[in-house]
Amino acid sequence: MIYKVSYVVLGGGHPGSIKTQTDQPRVGDRVRLGPNEFEIVEVQRMMPERDDLQFLHATVKPLTQPETS
Amino acid sequence: MHDLRALMVQIELFRGLTEAQIDKLVAISQREVYPANATILNHNMPGDNLYIIVSGEVAVLKRGAAGQFYPALYLGEGQIFGEVALLDQGTRSAAITAVQADTVVYALGRQAFDALCQSDLALGFHVMRNLALDLAFKLRHRNYDMSGDV
């Protein structure tokens, strides 16, 4: 299975990211988006899957201080 | 060609295509490698290429009201950028910089891409559908980011 994931940061302050990955994102996982590291706090299905491709939304919280614009 | 084809099969833009069709797209693609923080695209410039991120990560930079650029999105492997200007032939709506060292992208030029889509309508249908799905995904990401609701 392949996972296309929309990562949105809790509370804003970071633009988030879109990644395609083979590892299923799960609550508690750590992920690097740009220069910062985050922890996944929620995962939802975003769109119906197509064949072996799942479309997911993951909400994350910062583990390091996000860069400000 | 075969190693590159194996890589391209994993790219969402090429889903539904045969190996022969992927070979046609690879044949008109240009490989480019960027160091960290290098500018790949400039904001507001004419754009003729669509880019596929094969490895690394890029930042999509939007221009603020005061003229400063800020990151609006990060895109990782398998993602595409530059598709808006390729489709509507307008200027680039954002600047793109490499985040990671040795970020590798493949560029597809509009003229060769359009010619290929017209000569192989099935290829054109799949790629355009995949492009539309990618834009839908980005729109949902943006909507969720702004409203907290999908």
Side-chain angles (χ1 to χ4, degrees):
Chain A
M1 189 66 76
I2 299 171
Y3 304 91
K4 184 170 182 176
V5 188
S6 155
Y7 288 98
V8 171
V9 180
L10 206 58
H14 185 283
S17 180
I18 297 175
K19 290 176 178 282
T20 299
Q21 55 194 67
T22 53
D23 295 330
Q24 182 174 5
R26 300 179 189 278
V27 171
D29 286 352
R30 293 186 173 197
V31 59
R32 178 163 287 278
L33 310 177
N36 304 111
E37 192 172 16
F38 299 85
E39 181 181 334
I40 298 174
V41 295
E42 185 182 39
V43 179
Q44 298 178 12
R45 191 176 78 157
M46 178 181 266
M47 293 157 54
E49 64 188 58
R50 290 181 63 214
D51 303 322
D52 63 339
L53 180 61
Q54 288 196 13
F55 301 94
L56 303 176
H57 165 78
T59 305
V60 301
K61 67 178 183 181
L63 289 172
T64 54
Q65 187 64 36
E67 284 188 349
T68 54
S69 55
Chain B
M1 176 72 90
H2 293 292
D3 289 345
L4 185 54
R5 183 203 294 154
L7 197 62
M8 291 300 188
V9 166
Q10 305 296 321
I11 303 292
E12 184 189 354
L13 182 66
F14 298 152
R15 292 181 77 83
L17 299 181
T18 65
E19 289 187 348
Q21 288 171 325
I22 291 174
D23 285 347
K24 290 181 186 177
L25 280 162
V26 168
I28 63 166
S29 302
Q30 178 77 36
R31 183 176 186 268
E32 299 176 5
V33 183
Y34 293 90
N37 302 314
T39 299
I40 302 174
L41 295 180
N42 287 305
H43 174 259
N44 217 26
M45 296 296 287
D48 286 327
N49 289 341
L50 171 152
Y51 296 84
I52 304 153
I53 306 168
V54 172
S55 66
E57 187 179 32
V58 306
V60 180
L61 305 176
K62 302 291 285 186
R63 193 172 190 172
Q68 85 289 6
F69 284 91
Y70 63 93
L73 180 66
Y74 291 97
L75 294 172
E77 292 176 12
Q79 310 311 308
I80 60 175
F81 60 90
E83 71 277 19
V84 174
L86 180 112
L87 291 170
D88 68 12
Q89 303 189 25
T91 56
R92 298 295 187 193
S93 57
I96 305 287
T97 60
V99 174
Q100 295 179 5
D102 298 325
T103 291
V104 178
V105 301
Y106 277 83
L108 284 171
R110 179 194 293 139
Q111 201 168 5
F113 179 65
D114 283 350
L116 188 54
C117 289
Q118 288 175 20
S119 69
D120 186 336
L121 294 179
L123 178 152
F125 166 77
H126 283 294
V127 172
M128 289 301 176
R129 184 180 65 177
N130 292 337
L131 263 177
L133 280 167
D134 185 74
L135 286 169
F137 190 92
K138 285 173 177 163
L139 185 59
R140 287 183 184 274
H141 169 85
R142 180 67 177 160
N143 288 345
Y144 196 100
D145 195 26
M146 292 174 70
S147 69
D149 190 16
V150 177

